[in-house]
Amino acid sequence: MKAARFASSKTKLAAVLGLSRQYLYAFFALPDSPRPGSNGMHNVLTWRKYIAARARKVKGAATEREALQVAYLRARVEREHLELAELDNSIRSSISNEISGEACRIIDCLTGEIQRMPHQFSGVFAGKTPNQICRLWQRELDQSFQKASAALDKIKEQSRRKTTKKKEANVIPFPDRAAAGN
C-alpha cells in the first residue's frame, strides 16, 4: 500500500502520522508550523520533518506510543535524507561519466589530428620559407583546436536544461492615443 503524500484534514493527517489529534494540535499551535497548501491539503512529508525536529518543544500529553511514533518519524526522515543523498550522488556520477567520456573522445580526435600533421605537411613544407611553414602549421593547429572547441560547445549546449516555452503575457495593450486622435 502506498503511503499518503497529502492529508485533507488535521484528523486525517494525525491518522497518517500515527499521532493523536490532541498531540498533533500542539504542533499546530507552534508559530512556525507548516500551513496547508492553497488547496487545503497538508503535506505529510513536511509534517514528518517538522514533528521530528520539534518534538522536544511540544509539552503535553505525549503518550509512550506517540513518543515512539516521533522516534519512528525521525528515523524515517533520516532515511529519506540518506536516500536522497544517494540518488543525488548517483546522478552526479552518471553525468560526470558521460561528460568525461565525451571529453576523452574529443581529446583522442585532437591527438590524432595533431599526430597526423607532420606526415600530412612534410611534402607541403618543401620549398617554403620558415614564416610560410609557421603560418600553415599555425592555421592547421588553430583549425584542429577550433573543431575541439566546437565539439565542447555542442556538449555544453546539449547539457543545458530544456525549458518550456515562455507563456505570452495576458495583457491587452492600450490603444495609442496619438494615433486615435485624442
Side-chain angles (χ1 to χ4, degrees), residues 2-20:
K2 197 172 189 181
R5 291 179 54 197
F6 295 97
S8 59
S9 67
K10 292 178 183 178
T11 303
K12 289 180 182 177
L13 179 63
V16 169
L17 294 174
L19 303 174
S20 68

Side-chain angles (χ1 to χ4, degrees), residues 1-123:
M1 187 172 147
K2 197 172 189 181
R5 291 179 54 197
F6 295 97
S8 59
S9 67
K10 292 178 183 178
T11 303
K12 289 180 182 177
L13 179 63
V16 169
L17 294 174
L19 303 174
S20 68
R21 286 180 304 154
Q22 295 81 6
Y23 190 55
L24 181 64
Y25 287 175
F27 287 100
F28 270 99
L30 294 176
D32 61 340
S33 67
R35 299 291 172 219
S38 60
N39 58 359
M41 302 290 275
H42 298 278
N43 187 326
V44 175
L45 179 61
T46 303
W47 271 99
R48 274 192 192 120
K49 290 178 182 178
Y50 181 78
I51 291 171
R54 290 170 183 78
R56 288 181 181 85
K57 288 185 178 180
V58 173
K59 298 174 185 163
T63 64
E64 184 178 345
R65 181 179 181 273
E66 289 171 336
L68 289 173
Q69 188 65 26
V70 168
Y72 171 73
L73 288 174
R74 281 192 186 112
R76 193 167 176 179
V77 166
E78 187 64 33
R79 186 187 68 202
E80 288 172 357
H81 280 295
L82 182 62
E83 288 173 358
L84 182 62
E86 287 176 3
L87 178 65
D88 184 43
N89 192 29
S90 66
I91 291 171
R92 188 178 307 244
S93 176
S94 68
I95 291 171
S96 177
N97 289 339
E98 184 179 332
I99 290 174
S100 66
E102 289 292 321
C104 286
R105 186 182 60 78
I106 291 169
I107 290 171
D108 290 342
C109 289
L110 184 61
T111 302
E113 283 191 30
I114 292 173
Q115 288 175 348
R116 188 183 66 235
M117 283 182 188
H119 303 291
Q120 181 181 359
F121 294 116
S122 59

Side-chain angles (χ1 to χ4, degrees), residues 125 129-141:
F125 290 158
T129 65
N131 283 340
Q132 291 172 331
I133 293 172
C134 183
R135 275 184 274 155
L136 286 171
W137 192 267
Q138 190 63 51
R139 186 182 71 216
E140 289 300 319
L141 283 175

